[in-house]
Amino acid sequence: MLIMILVTLVSFIPSLLMFLFLRNNRKDDETYRKDCNELLFKGVLICGLVMLFGAMLRIPWNILGIAKDNKLLDRAFVCYVVNALCEEMAKFLYARKYIVKDKTKTSRLDIISYLVISAISFALLEDIIYAFSTSIGQIIVRGVLMGHVPEQLLMGELYGRSIAEKKPGLKVLAFLLPILIHGSYNFLLTDGLPEWAAFVVVTLVIVETVFMICMIFRIKKKRNDPAYTEPVYMK
């Protein structure tokens, strides 16, 4: 058990480095840095909201018995709705508090940062829970891949752009794409699916990882770009 705890703590390193990287977007803004720190410790509350949303949807689904005789349909509901939809919405709602806290300052980079930090906060607590029911290898892989971060990077990029460019349609994509990616990843890990499902999962992980790395370099580059650093709500 001690080894599992140590491995779990080590697996936190990539996510915490990502957090520090995002917090440094505004090195001299103490309010921003304080908000980032505060959001990082919201994991328990985010998990609580996920569980509440999940129960609100799962209970009537079970009562109606829509998928009583169709295990695959029930699995799809759990993956896309109970897991993906509830988790993405909970992470967004907690991040939104900081996004709209001071609209005279919020930039596209801020939106990306808050959403990603919300994902990190949730993922770190989730990793602690998984540590009691998974292997050392899986813990390490989860830590390196920073689960939930790629989806929130995508959401942040699209959501920020939708506000900056006054394109409401992008807000739909900002939620729809992360939910589809998240749900598909979970669903394709279902036992009994064809062999191609595993290939799709591996491909999805590779694409997400490449996207995450590209976004890290993009964020670093955009720190000096007014399009990403000026307040988006004031345009």
Side-chain angles (χ1 to χ4, degrees):
M1 179 57 70
L2 178 60
I3 294 177
M4 293 293 284
I5 293 174
L6 292 175
V7 171
T8 300
L9 292 176
V10 171
S11 74
F12 289 173
I13 293 175
S15 293
L16 293 177
L17 289 176
M18 184 68 168
F19 164 74
L20 294 174
F21 171 72
L22 295 171
R23 195 182 65 172
N24 283 336
N25 282 340
R26 292 177 178 268
K27 292 182 179 180
D28 300 323
D29 189 333
E30 287 302 319
T31 299
Y32 168 77
R33 292 167 67 85
K34 180 180 177 182
D35 287 343
C36 289
N37 291 338
E38 187 177 291
L39 181 54
L40 181 65
F41 291 97
K42 296 289 186 180
V44 173
L45 298 177
I46 296 173
C47 283
L49 191 59
V50 169
M51 293 174 64
L52 176 61
F53 286 165
M56 290 172 62
L57 294 170
R58 187 64 169 160
I59 291 174
W61 173 264
N62 289 338
I63 291 175
L64 292 173
I66 297 174
K68 183 178 180 180
D69 301 316
N70 192 326
K71 292 184 178 180
L72 205 58
L73 177 59
D74 187 63
R75 174 64 178 167
F77 176 79
V78 170
C79 292
Y80 286 97
V81 179
V82 177
N83 295 155
L85 176 62
C86 293
E87 289 180 15
E88 298 303 328
M89 286 303 300
K91 288 179 287 186
F92 171 79
L93 289 174
Y94 269 94
R96 187 178 182 277
K97 171 186 174 181
Y98 299 92
I99 291 173
V100 301
K101 181 179 179 181
D102 186 352
K103 291 185 176 181
T104 64
K105 294 173 59 178
T106 303
S107 67
R108 287 179 67 173
L109 279 185
D110 294 340
I111 291 173
I112 293 172
S113 295
Y114 290 138
L115 285 169
V116 173
I117 292 172
S118 179
I120 291 173
S121 177
F122 173 77
L124 290 179
L125 184 61
E126 189 178 53
D127 286 345
I128 293 174
I129 296 172
Y130 271 111
F132 294 95
S133 60
T134 189
S135 66
I136 291 177
Q138 288 178 317
I139 293 174
I140 294 174
V141 170
R142 284 179 60 86
V144 172
L145 296 180
M146 289 189 279
H148 300 284
V149 167
E151 287 88 352
Q152 294 305 107
L153 281 168
L154 178 59
M155 181 184 288
E157 176 68 19
L158 292 174
Y159 190 80
R161 183 180 172 188
S162 72
I163 297 173
E165 299 180 4
K166 303 296 188 294
K167 294 181 178 179
L170 286 177
K171 285 186 180 179
V172 177
L173 286 179
F175 289 98
L176 183 61
L177 290 180
I179 290 170
L180 286 176
I181 293 171
H182 186 166
S184 296
Y185 175 82
N186 287 4
F187 180 73
L188 291 172
L189 291 175
T190 303
D191 292 335
L193 291 181
E195 292 183 0
W196 57 261
F199 173 77
V200 175
V201 169
V202 172
T203 303
L204 187 59
V205 170
I206 292 173
V207 171
E208 282 194 324
T209 302
V210 172
F211 170 73
M212 180 169 60
I213 293 172
C214 290
M215 280 298 295
I216 290 172
F217 283 101
R218 181 177 178 81
I219 290 170
K220 185 175 181 179
K221 180 180 178 180
K222 295 299 182 179
R223 283 173 173 171
N224 298 314
D225 185 347
Y228 274 75
T229 59
E230 291 181 352
V232 289
Y233 287 101
M234 307 306 291
K235 293 183 178 180

